[in-house]
Amino acid sequence: MWNLGDSKAMSSAFPNLPTPLDVSYSRLPDSFHRSAQRENPMHSLLPQPSSLGNSYSSSSSLPFDSQFSSVYPHERYPQNSPISMSPSGGKSLSHTHSELQSTPVASYPEENKDMSWCPDSIEEFLHFPENVPDQNGLVDTSTGAIISDDHAERTDWSDLYPLISFDGALDSNWELSVDNVVDPKPEVLNHSSDILVQQPNIQQHQPAQSGEIFTSPDPESTAPSTKARMRWTQELHEAFVEAVNQLGGSDRATPKGILNVMKVEGLTIYHVKSHLQKYRTAKYKPESSEGACEKNLTPVEEMNSKDLKTMGMTEALRLQVELQKQLHEQLETQRKLQLQIEEQAKYLEKMFEQQRKMEDNKVKPTSSTSDERNKIGTSTPMDEGSQDASLKQNAQEPATHENHDPPGDADSGALPTKRARTG
Amino acid sequence: MKFGKRLKHQMQETLPSWRDKFLSYDHLKKLVRLISSAPAMLIGKSGKAKAQFLYVLNNEIDKFNAFFMEREEDFIIRHEGLRQRIRKVTDTWGPNDSHSSKIMYENEVGKLRKDIVDLHGEMVLLVNYSNINYTGLAKILKKYDKRTGALLRLPFIQEILEQPFFTTDLISKLVKECEGTINTVFPVEEEEERKIEVREAMTVTGEGIFRNTVVALLTMQEIRRGSSTYSKYSLPPINLPADLDIIRLVQLNPSIPIV
């Protein structure tokens, strides 16, 4: 499998790089982790008005990360507009920009993390067109053959996704992502920007998305079409309500006024406006009719909702709550388990990596080899029940794709099967 | 039953405005099949195929995030609104001892109780929404890796874990708070009385949020029942508590055909 072979080559050259080409998006977890932290300043409030400023500086010190936070996952890959790699890239960027500005609100979901992007990251994108032609020139000759083949196969995709046109420019982009893997590294290293050095693969994607960056948000931008999605919290909402009350109620308060009173950095008038709208609707539309819109009321329920004194009603409600509580409990448990599973998988992957590295190092006798061996031997995984046992066993198997491990003793006998219970 | 079917079933039963917000599981499955059956697995071709796949996945995730955050905001507003309403009702009619105001109080509180319980239910259903979409994504990624031999699943899942739609902490907190609020407006009752009224109550269970919840619980149980691909990465079977014969009763109720 060329993947693994490649990974070996790459891991020796760039220990920090995610090895297989296929994992070109794996870079993003780091960035995402950073930008998607729940402690994001946008959530906190008045006590930390300058925290957003902090996030700005922190993201500027990690241009690589913040850049990729913008890349994923909001990407619309605007394959319709050919983002060519030529020096006219600057032009096409702005073209994309204007195109995206007309995107309707509903289809532009942005997290508030976007708030933390600093202007620096945008600049870095602009550097692209200059650097890219080098890559382009390098690889063009080799992609010729592949492109022609692709043309034949292309119809499949166009049928599936008629809206997305696969034009020549894009083909070369995708080819580039592959060819860069085998490119002589020194070429890449000559680039001034760190980002370009680290991720030749991502490079190809970035110009396609850099258009996105402009519309996303810079929250202080004056462009009215800035449509960043805000993630509201209870504290934020409380501050909102307070501001509204200060200004004389939801009818009299204006978005601008509320914005000024709240004094939350990063909050735009657009956010306040839409929130105010929701708030007003919730206030003046009685809750029951709101709920009724969602539900299909049967005649029985309708009758009972009028006859509110019946004990049956209260009991039905109690029942409902009980059931809902059960569901919630199960969901929480399930979520914890899912997180655990992924933790284990991540750990396993790390083990494989170390093992692979170890095997590479075996060629050159260094003292570090024994250190690594010790590391692998002594590091103990978290204790998470019977699933651990089978995982530990498999950890020794080299280069086994974790997903292909045989279904083992996951179904531990300890769990009593109550499948038949509820029929 | 396979996940795809279960998901479809859930989607059919779900609140109407939610129906198109779920994962396009079948579509993605077809895509994976298409990718893996591509005749000549040229390096270039697989690169494009992968990009296509990721494009669709990312769109789905965007969809989840947008919907989730919008609902979340809504719930925050409604929850706060209900709290205010409770305060108002107890202030206006609580202290007064006259018969008429007692009736008014009961009326208002009744409506209030219903609204709170429904809000609670909707919030839980949102958590369920998040979870079932996550499950679907995990499955699709696993399929993709299996079919194409790629290593996309692990890193991609790591990113998904950070997504707004999966970070349901806020909603869960709201749910707990809601439960507390519910306790304040519901009268304390004896255990026996409750059991007697359970049967009565069963007749009023119709459609809507309650039914949704039942379906969600059953679906979850089904999904975790075990399958041909049960592995150490699969979730263990679910244990619904012993005294939850509610579900069985609901199933027996002919007005609710739960498959």
Side-chain angles (χ1 to χ4, degrees):
Chain A
M1 204 156 46
W2 75 272
N3 273 345
L4 285 176
D6 226 51
S7 67
K8 271 207 172 150
M10 290 197 63
S11 60
S12 45
F14 287 97
N16 292 333
L17 276 177
T19 41
L21 159 69
D22 290 335
V23 203
S24 56
Y25 280 81
S26 65
R27 234 5 184 164
L28 307 171
D30 297 339
S31 66
F32 224 78
H33 197 63
R34 252 173 267 274
S35 59
Q37 279 157 14
R38 300 281 308 209
E39 306 79 49
N40 187 289
M42 275 322 299
H43 291 165
S44 62
L45 287 205
L46 313 168
Q48 302 168 34
S50 59
S51 52
L52 191 60
N54 290 342
S55 79
Y56 265 64
S57 49
S58 66
S59 52
S60 63
S61 62
L62 301 159
F64 175 72
D65 286 341
S66 61
Q67 201 165 50
F68 291 120
S69 71
S70 59
V71 166
Y72 181 85
H74 318 293
E75 291 34 77
R76 299 273 106 105
Y77 298 96
Q79 291 162 331
N80 280 332
S81 60
I83 309 283
S84 60
M85 299 292 212
S86 60
S88 69
K91 237 195 280 171
S92 56
L93 282 177
S94 50
H95 163 71
T96 321
H97 167 49
S98 53
E99 208 184 302
L100 287 164
Q101 275 201 322
S102 53
T103 313
V105 186
S107 67
Y108 200 88
E110 282 287 350
E111 307 175 310
N112 64 326
K113 330 296 180 208
D114 304 337
M115 305 275 182
S116 62
W117 294 345
C118 62
D120 292 352
S121 56
I122 297 178
E123 265 177 66
E124 251 126 21
F125 275 100
L126 286 172
H127 286 151
F128 258 167
E130 317 159 26
N131 291 317
V132 160
D134 293 343
Q135 294 282 333
N136 219 349
L138 225 183
V139 191
D140 248 346
T141 47
S142 44
T143 59
I146 305 178
I147 290 177
S148 54
D149 266 343
D150 260 351
H151 278 265
E153 315 256 25
R154 214 193 294 157
T155 45
D156 293 343
W157 301 104
S158 319
D159 289 342
L160 250 194
Y161 299 94
L163 292 178
I164 299 160
S165 58
F166 291 81
D167 49 10
L170 214 50
D171 271 337
S172 58
N173 291 355
W174 301 132
E175 307 325 323
L176 282 171
S177 65
V178 174
D179 287 305
N180 274 329
V181 173
V182 294
D183 267 348
K185 302 294 176 261
E187 194 65 33
V188 178
L189 285 167
N190 282 339
H191 285 138
S192 46
S193 160
D194 280 349
I195 301 124
L196 302 175
V197 170
Q198 296 272 324
Q199 278 298 338
N201 301 333
I202 298 289
Q203 231 184 7
Q204 317 318 323
H205 302 301
Q206 278 174 335
Q209 284 101 45
S210 46
E212 297 279 327
I213 309 305
F214 293 106
T215 57
S216 30
D218 200 29
E220 312 305 328
S221 105
T222 50
S225 54
T226 312
K227 284 161 183 148
R229 174 132 229 141
M230 174 72 177
R231 194 164 191 193
W232 284 84
T233 63
Q234 280 182 292
E235 294 83 18
L236 206 55
H237 180 67
E238 267 167 42
F240 172 86
V241 172
E242 233 182 79
V244 166
N245 291 336
Q246 260 184 56
L247 296 169
S250 59
D251 283 333
R252 292 181 62 186
T254 65
K256 188 140 195 182
I258 299 172
L259 192 61
N260 288 335
V261 173
M262 282 179 77
K263 286 204 265 284
V264 174
E265 255 188 72
L267 194 62
T268 68
I269 196 164
Y270 175 80
H271 296 141
V272 176
K273 225 189 330 182
S274 74
H275 196 77
L276 182 63
Q277 205 172 40
K278 291 196 169 165
Y279 184 71
R280 283 179 179 155
T281 323
K283 252 195 168 215
Y284 291 103
K285 186 164 65 163
E287 269 273 354
S288 49
S289 67
E290 221 178 76
C293 294
E294 291 283 34
K295 290 158 47 175
N296 312 320
L297 286 176
T298 63
V300 176
E301 266 190 5
E302 272 188 82
M303 189 168 67
N304 273 312
S305 63
K306 286 175 192 151
D307 189 9
L308 295 171
K309 276 193 192 167
T310 52
M311 269 313 234
M313 187 56 179
T314 318
E315 273 322 299
L317 288 177
R318 263 195 221 272
L319 208 62
Q320 192 175 334
V321 179
E322 265 318 299
L323 204 66
Q324 284 161 189
K325 276 189 187 164
Q326 282 300 328
L327 179 56
H328 187 234
E329 210 179 283
Q330 294 294 346
L331 284 167
E332 284 195 304
T333 314
Q334 184 157 308
R335 185 160 180 268
K336 284 201 194 98
L337 285 170
Q338 284 165 336
L339 285 169
Q340 275 183 359
I341 287 175
E342 291 310 321
E343 274 301 307
Q344 281 288 6
K346 202 164 76 171
Y347 173 77
L348 249 193
E349 183 63 26
K350 215 170 67 176
M351 297 291 283
F352 291 156
E353 276 304 308
Q354 284 183 347
Q355 193 125 40
R356 259 179 253 154
K357 254 203 279 185
M358 223 174 63
E359 281 168 19
D360 287 348
N361 288 339
K362 264 186 196 157
V363 186
K364 16 177 182 147
T366 51
S367 56
S368 62
T369 321
S370 50
D371 288 344
E372 285 191 46
R373 282 218 189 91
N374 286 338
K375 250 194 279 173
I376 292 177
T378 55
S379 59
T380 45
M382 29 281 173
D383 232 313
E384 283 157 12
S386 59
Q387 289 195 354
D388 246 340
S390 49
L391 283 172
K392 271 185 190 159
Q393 288 167 17
N394 290 323
Q396 296 313 310
E397 293 171 64
T400 310
H401 193 284
E402 80 227 341
N403 284 336
H404 294 162
D405 282 340
D409 28 6
D411 198 353
S412 62
L415 288 167
T417 47
K418 291 205 173 178
R419 301 169 187 173
R421 263 217 51 97
T422 51
Chain B
M1 217 197 266
K2 300 193 107 188
F3 177 80
K5 269 202 194 148
R6 275 282 156 196
L7 177 62
K8 258 203 203 109
H9 177 67
Q10 265 255 269
M11 282 166 69
Q12 277 167 9
E13 302 291 339
T14 197
L15 306 166
S17 63
W18 292 31
R19 236 161 247 156
D20 60 345
K21 300 291 192 290
F22 284 83
L23 181 69
S24 322
Y25 185 74
D26 285 343
H27 176 70
L28 278 162
K29 229 169 68 169
K30 280 194 201 125
L31 193 52
V32 171
R33 220 176 288 148
L34 196 69
I35 293 176
S36 62
S37 67
M41 281 296 277
L42 295 172
I43 294 176
K45 175 82 169 140
S46 77
K48 189 160 56 166
K50 184 182 165 224
Q52 195 61 47
F53 186 67
L54 285 165
Y55 175 78
V56 177
L57 278 182
N58 286 332
N59 272 355
E60 292 288 295
I61 291 176
D62 286 347
K63 181 173 78 176
F64 302 153
N65 283 338
F67 178 69
F68 186 87
M69 291 200 281
E70 200 232 316
R71 295 275 86 231
E72 194 183 50
E73 186 181 345
D74 209 44
F75 290 153
I76 291 178
I77 295 178
R78 272 162 72 182
H79 186 244
E80 182 57 36
L82 275 172
R83 272 211 184 128
Q84 285 180 15
R85 250 174 86 187
I86 292 175
R87 279 197 291 265
K88 204 171 81 175
V89 169
T90 37
D91 287 344
T92 329
W93 288 296
N96 213 323
D97 244 359
S98 75
H99 180 66
S100 58
S101 75
K102 268 224 164 80
I103 294 178
M104 285 298 286
Y105 177 76
E106 283 299 320
N107 263 344
E108 285 306 312
V109 168
K111 275 192 233 147
L112 208 56
R113 285 185 191 142
K114 181 166 165 35
D115 291 337
I116 290 187
V117 170
D118 283 348
L119 176 65
H120 181 266
E122 261 190 76
M123 290 200 281
V124 175
L125 283 175
L126 188 66
V127 180
N128 179 60
Y129 164 89
S130 156
N131 205 286
I132 214 173
N133 285 326
Y134 172 82
T135 309
L137 279 173
K139 281 179 173 287
I140 282 286
L141 284 169
K142 185 170 163 190
K143 280 193 213 295
Y144 180 86
D145 276 5
K146 199 161 166 191
R147 297 285 202 118
T148 66
L151 290 177
L152 180 62
R153 197 196 80 97
L154 185 59
F156 202 86
I157 283 258
Q158 295 296 323
E159 293 170 52
I160 292 179
L161 294 179
E162 310 276 340
Q163 294 295 308
F165 85 90
F166 189 71
T167 47
T168 53
D169 305 318
L170 177 57
I171 288 281
S172 286
K173 189 171 111 175
L174 269 178
V175 169
K176 296 274 162 55
E177 281 184 28
C178 207
E179 283 164 20
T181 316
I182 286 174
N183 286 335
T184 64
V185 286
F186 269 77
V188 182
E189 264 198 14
E190 294 299 327
E191 199 50 40
E192 298 108 43
E193 262 184 67
R194 272 201 59 206
K195 289 207 174 120
I196 294 169
E197 257 115 17
V198 160
R199 292 215 182 261
E200 266 181 50
M202 293 315 307
T203 60
V204 313
T205 57
E207 299 177 346
I209 291 179
F210 181 63
R211 178 199 182 130
N212 248 273
T213 310
V214 172
V215 173
L217 265 171
L218 288 173
T219 303
M220 204 192 307
Q221 193 178 43
E222 278 296 315
I223 291 175
R224 285 166 62 165
R225 187 170 283 210
S227 64
S228 57
T229 56
Y230 209 56
S231 73
K232 60 178 168 289
Y233 290 104
S234 305
L235 292 165
I238 218 173
N239 303 338
L240 288 175
D243 58 355
L244 207 62
D245 45 8
I246 298 171
I247 295 186
R248 197 165 0 129
L249 283 174
V250 169
Q251 277 182 306
L252 291 178
N253 190 327
S255 74
I256 311 179
I258 296 178
V259 182

